[in-house]
Amino acid sequence: MFIRSVERDTSLDAFRAEVRDFCARELPAEVQRKQAMGQHLERHEYDAWLKRLGARGWITGKWPKEHGGLGWSPAQTLAFNEELGRAGAPPLVPFGVNMAGPVIYTFGTETQKRTYLPGIIRNDTWWCQGYSEPGAGSDLAGLKTKAVRDGDHYVINGQKIWTSLAHWADWMFCLVRTDDSGKKQEGISFILIDMRTPGITVRPIIAITMSHHLNEVFFDDVRVPVENLIGEEGKGWTYAKFLLANERVGNVEISRLQANLDALSRLLAETREGGKPLAEDPLWRRKVAEHEVALATVKALMADQLAATAEEGGAPTLMGAAALKLRGTELQQAILQSVMDVLGRYGQLYQTDALHAGWNGELIGPTDSAGLVYEHLYRRAATIYGGSSEVQKNIIAKGALGL
Amino acid sequence: MPAFSSEERQLLNDSLRDLLADKYTFEHFKKVARAEDGDGFSRADWATYAEMGWLGVCLPESAGGAGGGATELGIVMAGAGRFLLLEPFLGTIVLGASAIEKAGTPDQQKLLADIATGKLTLAFCHAEPDGGYARDYVRTIARRESDGYVIDGAKAHTIAAHAVDTLVISARLGSASGPVALFLVPRTSAGIKLAPAPALDGRRGAAMTLTGVRVPTSARLGAGDADLLPAIGDILDRGAIAVCAEAVGAMAAVTQITVDYLKTRKQFGQLLSQFQVLQHRLVDMSVTTEEARAIVHAALQAVDDGDPQARHTIWKAKVKTAQCARFVGGQAIQLHGGMGMTDELIVGHYYKRLVLCESLLGDGEWYLKQLAAEMA
Ligand SMILES: Cc1cc2nc3c(=O)[nH]c(=O)nc-3n(C[C@H](O)[C@H](O)[C@H](O)COP(=O)(O)OP(=O)(O)OC[C@H]3O[C@@H](n4cnc5c(N)ncnc54)[C@H](O)[C@@H]3O)c2cc1C
């Protein structure tokens, strides 16, 4: 207990200042304005910003230097994300930097690294995650999308679902079944698919947010070159788990939690009851303090996890990520629930038109309320995506407690 | 003596269930809620409810109603919750009707007949910007003029206020320290500026400003200068318990839907309903719904019995129901996994309606605070 020494954010002031200056200079005004209003960004708007970050190497600052990263420590990475948040910049989009990239540089060939990593570093390519299927959600290893070898190609048939941002993606990292003769985990392969390949159909799913983020992706005789296979055929489950652990740590975005909590405090100052700001109500102040305690705890869990990861060679484990993902996403929902509790005073509205640029109707309530309601609704999924809370508990039960 | 016998209540309940299960499908709900050229509710459906006698179920027999009590109102509202009805029940047959009954002159009481027949729809506009859930925060002022009143002020977003016939507006008489009165104001009156906006659950409504809105003396509910704040408290209590009943209907429906889903969805080679941890979660949803149903029933009964503690029982019911709604709605999505996140499934719509039920007319925390203050 209490053995490991956890790095503290001490000597990062100069770096923080550099990030702040950069954001002040380079963050496009329109992106900042939309972020402040909680409005949806288009891909080209993300690109305008992310390519600038990419030119500095900052998207992938936390990657090891040998793979084109800057070798940032966890504390520096956190500081970076915090400064982005404070500057009103959108958080990074995880599919390339947090998911595809680390799998490629850890398990890919030299050619694959040369082919794919630069596009992630510079934000020239967008990725999506082809894991879940209609019949394979929590039971991911039950996936059925089939890849059959035909000369220099795999021919892929099947369906993915809940594919976030597939409609923007250039590439998909995809789990496919190359063998169904043995244990279900054993016949899975990890392959990279160009989304422009003939035979791919992307169909939108409108979420409870009333927005398009999710998709179904259909594969109909999609021919993918064999050289797009990562690692060994049939060993995809190993890479898939490696990625999931990264994904789950990434699901807990400290700077986003902090931003949500800051939003809550702002709403409390702005919102009145009986003419008095809610911020003056001791019960509300207690609630905020409660969230602060939980956030400090999640931050500590994160610091611990990152330190353990560094010791163990740079990759988190599913076990290591489970508790963090569980509590981090619960906290996210709890903070956003408090946000909704404040917004109830305005009539619990959801002016979805306000989520889009160019809308000049009359907004009722705080300027970013539609964006916050969107966030509340979307994060109902935080305890579902990346592996549900129940699945995390199963992992801990089995792995940590030996049940 | 309850107004309805158990058999009559059962009949009322069954009539709601039978008709709505057939007519008020999810597809219908979406079509009505989202029609670009509509108001977000259906006047044709409203006419059907009138024909069925649901709108007048607890209006006096003299107004063509069935003379039912709070319990009968609860049965109707639970039906509205179960089928996600979009029509303006709360503003019209609960708050609006109750305002007219409690405060109206004998002449004004005649309007109740129009409610029963579906001819008159109402929205109860009491809450104001900066008032939050406070019930005594009225800054809108009605100044006497020779032949009537001139009203100035602002009201917070109210469900259906963008489309109903008449707004019931609270205002202080003469000055900021005057007694509170209620006015029946046609929605289209000059000087009313509506800011329409959709609520989370698809229902629409509007916030409003009132600038020099002129109404005749007869628009004022009742006579004499008595402060209506206590009556407004009673009206809002009636609204609160009606919203709770609506939430109970929605909770019961979405719990059943979730049970059914887990009985069909397989993962790891098993039905999800066979995982004990999920069985227990479904049990918690079910028991939680039962808790809400029980305390709401107790509160409705207390009102019908004329129990002097009824008010506190209503507040307790609102606290408990809000907590229950949060749990049941959240778990319904959680247990559906990704499916729970789609607009294509009804589950998310129940979630949203329950969020509204939690906060309409004051959320659980607010009522808890009122209870704490009064019980100290
Ligand atoms: C907003 C959102 C974005 C997503 N983005 C992507 C993406 O980009 N790419 C991608 O591949 N996938 C994505 N997903 C899919 C996500 O990973 C799955 O939804 C998730 O793994 C759950 O699977 P399911 O939806 O099939 O639910 P199910 O597996 O059917 O689960 C339903 C419920 O049963 C519970 N349950 C299941 N098995 C057990 C068990 N053994 N014990 C206890 N409880 C259990 C679950 O926890 C859940 O509550 C996304 C999902 C959402 C909602």
Side-chain angles (χ1 to χ4, degrees):
Chain A
M1 226 146 261
F2 315 130
I3 307 301
R4 187 181 295 121
S5 88
V6 175
E7 185 192 3
R8 310 232 345 243
D9 176 2
T10 43
S11 57
L12 291 168
D13 289 353
F15 173 69
R16 283 178 179 274
E18 194 187 347
V19 179
R20 266 200 302 276
D21 286 352
F22 180 84
C23 291
R25 265 195 333 271
E26 303 282 339
L27 181 63
E30 177 64 3
V31 172
Q32 191 177 31
R33 195 193 61 78
K34 281 183 128 183
Q35 267 302 104
M37 303 265 301
Q39 288 184 334
H40 293 329
L41 296 175
E42 301 297 332
R43 177 176 162 172
H44 70 86
E45 290 167 322
Y46 269 111
D47 279 339
W49 163 237
L50 290 174
K51 280 180 192 287
R52 291 180 198 186
L53 277 183
R56 297 283 299 242
W58 279 357
I59 293 176
T60 47
K62 67 176 180 185
W63 287 8
K65 287 191 176 142
E66 63 202 284
H67 301 308
L70 302 173
W72 288 348
S73 67
Q76 188 169 4
T77 308
L78 183 57
F80 173 73
N81 289 330
E82 266 174 19
E83 293 304 329
L84 284 197
R86 282 198 193 126
L92 299 180
V93 182
F95 298 100
V97 47
N98 214 26
M99 300 191 216
V103 166
I104 293 168
Y105 69 62
T106 308
F107 303 106
T109 62
E110 287 310 313
T111 313
Q112 286 171 334
K113 289 183 211 170
R114 271 199 310 277
T115 310
Y116 300 108
L117 297 184
I120 298 173
I121 292 168
R122 292 198 303 261
N123 191 66
D124 291 338
T125 44
W126 281 64
W127 289 79
C128 67
Q129 177 181 31
Y131 270 37
S132 307
E133 298 182 4
S138 298
D139 182 15
L140 179 59
L143 60 94
K144 290 206 169 69
T145 295
K146 227 179 154 100
V148 178
R149 184 77 185 253
D150 177 25
D152 291 343
H153 287 80
Y154 286 102
V155 180
I156 299 181
N157 281 288
Q159 187 200 339
K160 297 291 172 180
I161 195 171
W162 316 122
T163 323
S164 301
L165 299 183
H167 54 301
W168 285 2
D170 307 295
W171 285 85
M172 170 189 277
F173 52 89
C174 187
L175 297 180
V176 291
R177 182 155 301 284
T178 40
D179 181 3
D180 48 19
S181 60
K183 254 185 77 183
K184 61 185 179 179
Q185 286 83 0
E186 279 162 12
I188 294 172
S189 297
F190 192 111
I191 197 162
L192 311 180
I193 303 176
D194 184 338
M195 290 296 281
R196 284 161 311 185
T197 319
I200 298 181
T201 311
V202 178
R203 245 189 245 154
I205 299 173
I206 302 303
I208 60 172
T209 54
M210 315 276 279
S211 298
H212 175 201
H213 171 88
L214 300 170
N215 300 277
E216 292 179 282
V217 182
F218 299 88
F219 301 91
D220 183 14
D221 284 335
V222 175
R223 296 182 69 82
V224 180
V226 168
E227 69 238 32
N228 291 15
L229 185 76
I230 294 287
E232 277 178 62
E233 188 181 290
K235 290 276 182 286
W237 190 244
T238 309
Y239 322 134
K241 286 193 296 186
F242 169 91
L243 184 145
L244 279 175
N246 277 326
E247 178 181 359
R248 287 170 189 167
V249 173
N251 284 151
V252 182
E253 295 167 282
I254 301 291
S255 53
R256 205 190 280 271
L257 293 174
Q258 186 68 58
N260 290 338
L261 193 46
D262 291 347
L264 175 61
S265 295
R266 184 167 42 73
L267 293 182
L268 290 171
E270 242 174 82
T271 305
R272 288 162 184 269
E273 189 143 87
K276 281 210 232 41
L278 288 179
E280 287 175 14
D281 180 341
L283 289 176
W284 268 111
R285 293 222 293 270
R286 182 183 190 281
K287 190 80 207 167
V288 171
E290 232 175 75
H291 290 317
E292 294 283 4
V293 171
L295 179 56
T297 309
V298 168
K299 275 188 186 173
L301 281 172
M302 173 68 88
D304 236 27
Q305 168 60 26
L306 293 175
T309 303
E311 265 178 29
E312 288 154 16
T317 60
L318 286 181
M319 258 280 293
L324 178 61
K325 204 245 169 193
L326 198 56
R327 289 296 183 255
T329 52
E330 283 168 0
L331 172 60
Q332 187 167 29
Q333 290 181 344
I335 295 173
L336 289 166
Q337 180 62 62
S338 291
V339 164
M340 292 297 284
D341 291 345
V342 179
L343 293 179
R345 267 93 182 163
Y346 299 94
Q348 217 63 281
L349 308 182
Y350 189 30
Q351 294 177 271
T352 47
D353 291 340
L355 293 170
H356 303 283
W359 185 69
N360 46 21
E362 192 169 339
L363 192 75
I364 299 170
T367 51
D368 56 345
S369 42
L372 288 168
V373 175
Y374 171 88
E375 191 67 4
H376 163 78
L377 290 172
Y378 182 70
R379 301 300 169 186
R380 291 308 319 173
T383 50
I384 297 170
Y385 58 59
S388 71
S389 289
E390 288 77 12
V391 165
Q392 305 311 309
K393 287 181 185 174
N394 287 345
I395 290 172
I396 295 170
K398 221 167 137 184
L401 308 182
L403 300 173
Chain B
M1 249 296 278
F4 278 40
S5 67
S6 298
E7 291 74 29
E8 287 168 323
R9 285 178 180 166
Q10 189 67 53
L11 279 174
L12 174 62
N13 184 66
D14 293 352
S15 83
L16 283 147
R17 194 198 51 211
D18 293 346
L19 185 95
L20 296 172
D22 188 37
K23 290 252 172 0
Y24 219 91
T25 58
F26 181 39
E27 287 64 39
H28 181 72
F29 161 83
K30 281 225 254 193
K31 205 173 91 206
V32 172
R34 292 178 183 178
E36 294 270 341
D37 54 352
D39 285 321
F41 63 85
S42 159
R43 289 194 166 74
D45 289 341
W46 192 248
T48 307
Y49 308 153
E51 268 167 46
M52 296 300 293
W54 302 341
L55 302 184
V57 74
C58 34
L59 293 175
E61 281 163 22
S62 57
T71 308
E72 288 71 34
L73 179 64
I75 292 171
V76 171
M77 291 306 288
R82 181 177 279 271
F83 294 95
L84 296 176
L85 302 191
L86 292 154
E87 287 66 36
F89 284 88
L90 181 64
T92 306
I93 73 164
V94 187
L95 299 169
S98 165
I100 293 171
E101 263 194 277
K102 278 198 190 319
T105 60
D107 225 32
Q108 289 164 334
Q109 304 275 344
K110 290 182 188 149
L111 289 170
L112 294 174
D114 289 343
I115 294 179
T117 58
K119 250 192 280 171
L120 177 66
T121 50
L122 302 165
F124 190 72
C125 307
H126 174 60
E128 298 193 0
D130 292 342
Y133 296 134
R135 290 174 164 195
D136 57 357
Y137 188 86
V138 182
R139 296 292 182 273
T140 299
I141 291 173
R143 289 187 181 80
R144 184 122 197 118
E145 281 212 347
S146 52
D147 53 344
Y149 295 88
V150 181
I151 308 175
D152 289 279
K155 291 292 170 181
H157 185 275
T158 309
I159 300 276
H162 66 300
V164 294
D165 304 308
T166 301
L167 308 172
V168 185
I169 290 177
S170 61
R172 290 194 182 270
L173 290 176
S175 74
S177 54
V180 175
L182 290 169
F183 294 87
L184 294 171
V185 186
R187 172 178 54 86
T188 51
S189 304
I192 296 185
K193 190 170 162 283
L194 294 167
L200 180 66
D201 64 346
R203 288 188 289 189
R204 304 182 207 170
M208 72 197 72
T209 52
L210 302 115
T211 317
V213 177
R214 280 167 197 282
V215 292
T217 307
S218 61
R220 199 175 129 209
L221 276 181
D225 281 350
D227 188 350
L228 287 187
L229 261 189
I232 289 172
D234 292 343
I235 294 164
L236 293 173
D237 283 342
R238 192 170 173 87
I241 197 61
V243 168
C244 289
E246 183 178 3
V248 170
M251 280 188 256
V254 80
T255 297
Q256 188 59 51
I257 288 169
T258 309
V259 169
D260 293 343
Y261 180 71
L262 265 56
K263 282 187 184 168
T264 58
R265 170 79 173 160
K266 269 191 175 168
Q267 288 287 276
F268 306 98
Q270 270 186 66
L271 291 171
L272 288 181
S273 59
Q274 289 170 320
F275 288 105
Q276 196 166 41
V277 69
L278 297 184
Q279 289 175 354
H280 285 192
R281 196 81 58 80
L282 289 172
V283 168
D284 280 332
M285 286 174 73
S286 165
V287 172
T288 302
T289 303
E290 274 303 291
E291 284 181 288
R293 192 199 50 71
I295 192 163
V296 171
H297 195 182
L300 293 167
Q301 183 88 49
V303 174
D304 284 339
D305 291 350
D307 181 342
Q309 293 299 315
R311 186 158 136 267
H312 282 175
T313 314
I314 290 174
W315 292 3
K316 288 173 190 169
K318 188 76 164 78
V319 173
K320 189 70 195 173
T321 307
Q323 293 166 350
C324 293
R326 181 169 295 190
F327 176 77
V328 170
Q331 287 307 315
I333 291 184
Q334 181 68 25
L335 295 189
H336 276 79
M339 292 303 283
M341 286 295 292
T342 70
D343 184 57
E344 287 301 307
L345 242 67
I346 200 168
V347 178
H349 297 270
Y350 278 113
Y351 175 82
K352 293 173 180 180
R353 176 60 58 88
L354 287 171
V355 170
L356 256 291
C357 288
E358 246 196 72
S359 62
L360 276 175
L361 308 179
D363 65 11
E365 284 295 313
W366 188 81
Y367 281 94
L368 198 54
K369 233 163 93 170
Q370 310 314 305
L371 276 168
E374 291 211 1
M375 294 176 137

